[in-house]
Amino acid sequence: MIYKFIFGKPFETESVVNLPSDTQIFTDDLKQFPAGKISLESGFELSIPLADDDMIFGLGEAMGGINKRGRIYRSWCNDDPSHTEEKESLYGAHNFLVIYSPSSHKCFGLYADYPGNLVIDAGCTKKDVLSLSCGQADIVLYYIEEKNGGIKDVVSAFRNIIGTSYIPPYWAFGYMQSRWGYGSQKDVEDVFDNYRALDIPLDAIFLDIDYMDEFRDFTVDSQKIPDLKKTVSALKENGVHLVPIIDAGVKSDEGYSVDEEGIKENMFCRKKDGSLFRAAVWPGLAHFPDFLNPDVRKWFGNQYSVLLDCGIDGFWNDMNEPALFYSEDGIKRAADTLTELAKKADRNDSIISWSMKDTVLGVQNSIEDYKSFYHRVPASLCGNFSDSEKDGTAIVRHDKVHNLYGFNMTRAAAEYFSSNCEKPVFLISRASFIGMHRYGGIWTGDNCSWWSHILLCLKMLPSLNMCGFLYTGCDLGGFSCNTTRELLLRFLALGVFTPLMRNHSALGTRAQEVYAFENPEDFRAIIQLRYRLLPYLYNEYVKACRNGTMYFRPLAFDYPDDRIALSTEDQLMLGEELMIAPVYVPNATGRTVYLPEDMYCVRCRKENGGCAGGAPEQVLYKKGVHFIFCAADEVVFFIKKNCAVPVVLPARNSSEIDYSTLSWWGDSSAFGKYKMISR
């Protein structure tokens, strides 16, 4: 059952699109809310009492565990490349959570539909209170309960009201290679040649900002790539796709047609006085398209045609929180502050040095900058969020609706593709809000080459699935810092199972392509395993999208009566048949695994050990705790007893997979019983 509680006059985010006819709707009713107490005295605050054993799941892309209890989270799309333990917000804003009581088996879901800064205190300040608060008392709360249903039923009910998740083209489930620094035809050819020479499967090569002409969106540096159409065609003939980046900021540059047209047609965000807002990102000072305006979305979506006409059929949208390196006003504010601090430099005051540091660092992604520009939005959507209205258009300050920016950039592209492209187009975004899951996938941003970030990725996966984001994955190997051979192997062993399997790294770090390490055949075997499992992984992904279920689930969702499963935070269920338990510490010979029921341990090795061909080692283990050996060049996963999964022989890319080679792994009594869906 869905209950919708409307307070004040909220902004219509368009995240909820399929409310059932029996939804109960309440307006400004503080007494009818079924859980906790609501206060409107200072903005909005909801306080929900927590029992000692209550668990909190969800919140999408966030730090912390699968059980989110005990931390503070801030829903604010944030360009922060350092994903350390104390961080309250990352790139996405995903305000859906489920509270589950193991003792009573009762659970309910809560979605706070609010486009700005929302704080979720999940039993941190007070261990027995969950609180949600925001500065404006104009918000929609959705309360979801399924009587006699479990956590999965509540999640499915939510997924149904927010719409079907994005299904990318089949090739998007292949292995992908990316690096900040690829920018020339030679870079692309070198990557392709090295993968092909070593017979390592590859479906896509990504281009970061270096392919552009001086970082101008929708341009190509002809000195680096003389004939993009020819380059794309040559790759496609070999089953490989080229995926360029598009950033949110449009370079402010006389003679640059996109910028000049955007100014002429009033497509960019402006300040309160009507002047154009500018801030610096990679191209230097840039203008920012007003993506919350439908006309701007249509205009910006049309810009992709320049690259689509060259045969490009995949994009990644970046820097769309939006990231702001600095603004001209911000530099002036910082300079004024530093001047005043300099006058106090002769004092014996250590606080001055900290203030100077904070002033300089505070120039980037400054809240003052986010408060300084505005959107033109249909007045019918705005509620109490508008500063002014005229002729059906409202003027809305950006910080009030900040979390919708990246969502609507990706929506702009997806809507254009849907209307103008015959085949599905690959599309992922860095920033997101619930609702964007209908238009594209996400990657989890600039992680690091840290062992802890394997586990962080694993914990984010089911939380993102709860919020509709099924097509997701992390930068395998880590984006920042220098990876190691062992670390990359372990990252890839998780990446075998994530829908997005992309190796991506930063400029200035060591080469992270798998052929840059000794014994590349070990990497080849793990990537080949991905292609062997592709029929099953793709099938389970599409089923989850169509049915509003989860591709990845915590063990707690499937085994809510099992106390060990409830507390297991480093294993996941995948589809209806598999469980994964990756190794995420260095120099390990294996790891302890909890089996919530009898399962086959499937051990895949190179050569004829299951990765490149042949059959893996399969051993049936009883329910319980086991130490499972797993070398760095192996992948181990688990198939439930009485279940089997389809596999094929590996191929150089997804287009060459031969379904006539289909066979089965798992319980022989279940061979052939798994239902495949048509692609």
Side-chain angles (χ1 to χ4, degrees):
M1 187 69 188
I2 310 291
Y3 301 85
K4 180 178 181 180
F5 293 85
I6 304 169
F7 297 97
K9 295 181 179 179
F11 191 98
E12 175 51 70
T13 66
E14 300 179 273
S15 59
V16 173
V17 292
N18 294 322
L19 270 186
S21 59
D22 62 349
T23 299
Q24 295 191 33
I25 301 176
F26 302 88
T27 301
D28 293 324
D29 192 331
L30 302 181
K31 297 180 179 180
Q32 293 296 324
F33 192 76
K37 180 180 179 181
I38 293 173
S39 171
L40 305 179
E41 292 180 4
S42 178
F44 174 89
E45 183 171 7
L46 166 65
S47 299
I48 299 175
L50 296 173
D52 287 344
D53 66 342
D54 280 352
M55 306 176 75
I56 302 172
F57 299 102
L59 299 180
E61 184 182 27
M63 299 297 295
I66 292 175
N67 180 357
K68 294 295 189 289
R69 188 164 177 174
R71 292 180 60 100
I72 293 175
Y73 306 89
R74 186 176 301 275
S75 183
W76 181 262
C77 295
N78 187 24
D79 170 30
D80 187 340
S82 184
H83 304 174
T84 47
E85 188 66 24
E86 80 282 4
K87 297 301 167 62
E88 295 179 352
S89 58
L90 295 176
Y91 307 95
H94 309 131
N95 308 337
F96 173 63
L97 56 86
V98 171
I99 299 177
Y100 173 68
S101 168
S103 56
S104 68
H105 299 295
K106 292 182 179 179
C107 65
F108 65 88
L110 183 65
Y111 174 47
D113 192 359
Y114 185 78
N117 187 9
L118 177 76
V119 177
I120 301 109
D121 186 333
C124 178
T125 302
K126 294 183 178 180
K127 71 180 183 65
D128 57 352
V129 176
L130 166 70
S131 70
L132 283 74
S133 59
C134 54
Q136 193 161 333
D138 301 286
I139 186 173
V140 178
L141 294 182
Y142 293 89
Y143 180 91
I144 305 166
E145 65 177 4
E146 293 292 311
K147 291 186 177 179
N148 303 317
I151 308 173
K152 291 189 289 185
D153 300 296
V154 170
V155 172
S156 289
F158 175 68
R159 291 277 307 284
N160 287 333
I161 69 171
I162 61 174
T164 303
S165 297
Y166 165 73
I167 300 177
Y170 187 64
W171 61 263
F173 291 83
Y175 180 71
M176 303 174 175
Q177 180 62 57
S178 180
R179 182 172 173 85
W180 176 14
Y182 295 163
S184 70
Q185 183 169 325
K186 184 179 185 305
D187 292 334
V188 173
E189 290 172 348
D190 285 349
V191 171
F192 173 80
D193 290 344
N194 277 293
Y195 272 93
R196 188 53 58 92
L198 292 168
D199 198 28
I200 301 173
L202 182 68
D203 262 272
I205 299 171
F206 281 59
L207 294 177
D208 211 311
I209 55 177
D210 303 279
Y211 80 92
M212 300 178 188
D213 181 9
E214 296 186 359
F215 305 140
R216 299 180 181 94
D217 277 346
F218 309 111
T219 67
V220 179
D221 187 335
S222 60
Q223 297 298 311
K224 295 178 179 178
I225 305 178
D227 190 336
L228 179 63
K229 190 171 186 178
K230 184 177 179 180
T231 300
V232 171
S233 177
L235 287 172
K236 281 189 175 180
E237 287 177 4
N238 288 281
V240 176
H241 301 257
L242 195 62
V243 181
I245 196 171
I246 300 295
D247 281 350
V250 173
K251 183 178 176 67
S252 174
D253 190 15
E254 186 176 345
Y256 170 34
S257 62
V258 178
D259 185 57
E260 290 187 339
E261 183 179 304
I263 294 172
K264 180 181 178 181
E265 300 297 330
N266 196 22
M267 296 296 168
F268 298 132
C269 293
R270 293 179 179 271
K271 296 193 281 189
K272 193 169 187 177
D273 63 6
S275 62
L276 287 165
F277 172 76
R278 294 200 308 178
V281 275
W282 295 116
L285 289 171
H287 295 124
F288 291 82
D290 186 359
F291 292 121
L292 274 68
N293 185 293
D295 293 335
V296 176
R297 289 199 297 272
K298 185 175 181 180
W299 170 78
F300 193 83
N302 188 63
Q303 304 304 318
Y304 287 83
S305 63
V306 173
L307 297 172
L308 290 166
D309 290 345
C310 292
I312 295 292
D313 53 5
F315 299 90
W316 51 311
N317 288 344
D318 199 5
M319 304 292 287
N320 53 353
E321 293 74 27
L324 308 176
F325 291 171
Y326 64 85
S327 71
E328 294 159 293
D329 290 340
I331 290 291
K332 185 178 184 304
R333 287 194 301 269
D336 291 345
T337 301
L338 291 173
T339 298
E340 291 302 311
L341 288 171
K343 295 176 182 178
K344 305 174 184 178
D346 59 341
R347 300 180 187 178
N348 186 19
D349 187 350
S350 61
I351 299 299
I352 292 176
S353 64
W354 289 104
S355 297
M356 294 178 73
K357 177 184 176 183
D358 291 345
T359 298
V360 174
L361 294 178
V363 167
Q364 188 168 356
N365 301 321
S366 164
I367 187 62
E368 295 304 317
D369 285 336
Y370 288 131
K371 288 181 177 180
S372 71
F373 65 96
Y374 291 76
H375 298 278
R376 294 174 296 112
V377 185
S380 59
L381 301 179
C382 289
N384 282 338
F385 282 70
S386 64
D387 279 37
S388 62
E389 292 184 16
K390 184 179 180 180
D391 299 329
T393 297
I395 305 301
V396 181
R397 203 175 73 197
H398 171 80
D399 64 297
K400 296 181 178 181
V401 291
H402 171 78
N403 294 333
L404 301 181
Y405 193 80
F407 165 8
N408 280 285
M409 177 188 180
T410 297
R411 178 182 178 182
E415 288 177 339
Y416 180 81
F417 301 155
S418 177
S419 299
N420 295 276
C421 300
E422 293 182 1
K423 295 181 179 180
V425 176
F426 172 84
L427 183 61
I428 57 174
S429 171
R430 190 170 75 176
S432 61
F433 185 82
I434 290 174
M436 201 215 81
H437 69 284
R438 301 189 296 269
Y439 300 103
I442 64 170
W443 80 101
T444 54
D446 298 343
N447 64 347
C448 291
S449 298
W450 298 342
W451 285 92
S452 62
H453 278 191
I454 297 178
L455 184 58
L456 178 62
C457 174
L458 180 135
K459 291 178 178 181
M460 285 184 186
L461 292 168
S463 302
L464 284 164
N465 277 201
M466 290 175 66
C467 298
F469 293 93
L470 271 63
Y471 190 80
T472 186
C474 69
D475 288 344
L476 298 174
F479 176 73
S480 300
C481 308
N482 291 317
T483 197
T484 66
R485 183 179 186 277
E486 182 193 10
L487 179 58
L488 181 55
L489 283 167
R490 296 300 195 189
F491 257 112
L492 289 171
L494 171 60
V496 163
F497 302 100
T498 59
L500 172 64
M501 188 185 186
R502 183 181 73 150
N503 178 338
H504 182 46
S505 55
L507 187 71
T509 62
R510 71 180 293 185
Q512 196 166 288
E513 298 84 359
V514 297
Y515 51 76
F517 298 88
E518 63 270 30
N519 301 112
E521 64 273 12
D522 293 343
F523 295 95
R524 177 176 62 223
I526 292 177
I527 296 170
Q528 285 176 326
L529 175 61
R530 165 64 164 224
Y531 285 77
R532 296 213 69 181
L533 290 168
L534 206 52
Y536 175 76
L537 300 177
Y538 180 79
N539 211 58
E540 289 302 305
Y541 180 90
V542 174
K543 280 167 54 180
C545 289
R546 292 178 179 174
N547 298 333
T549 56
M550 296 172 65
Y551 176 86
F552 285 117
R553 299 178 306 283
L555 270 62
F557 285 27
D558 285 26
Y559 307 95
D561 296 321
D562 186 325
R563 292 180 63 186
I564 299 178
L566 286 170
S567 62
T568 298
E569 293 248 335
D570 58 357
Q571 302 171 204
L572 294 177
M573 306 306 297
L574 189 166
E576 297 303 318
E577 290 78 18
L578 295 193
M579 185 182 77
I580 63 171
V583 174
Y584 53 89
V585 294
N587 305 310
T589 58
R591 57 159 291 173
T592 300
V593 176
Y594 174 64
L595 302 183
E597 61 178 278
D598 295 356
M599 293 184 179
Y600 287 91
C601 175
V602 182
R603 183 181 307 279
C604 297
R605 301 186 178 96
K606 58 189 174 185
E607 306 305 333
N608 286 319
C611 289
E617 174 190 288
Q618 295 188 163
V619 178
L620 181 63
Y621 282 81
K622 294 292 185 181
K623 173 183 176 179
V625 177
H626 304 271
F627 186 86
I628 304 296
F629 287 96
C630 182
D633 61 352
E634 296 178 334
V635 177
V636 171
F637 61 96
F638 302 86
I639 301 177
K640 294 179 183 178
K641 186 180 179 181
N642 300 320
C643 293
V645 301
V647 296
V648 290
L649 290 179
R652 295 185 301 180
N653 53 68
S654 61
S655 66
E656 295 183 5
I657 286 179
D658 183 358
Y659 273 73
S660 71
T661 66
L662 191 141
S663 59
W664 301 89
W665 290 351
D667 194 324
S668 59
S669 68
F671 285 5
K673 294 181 180 180
Y674 180 83
K675 292 184 179 180
M676 301 283 288
I677 59 175
S678 59
R679 289 201 285 117

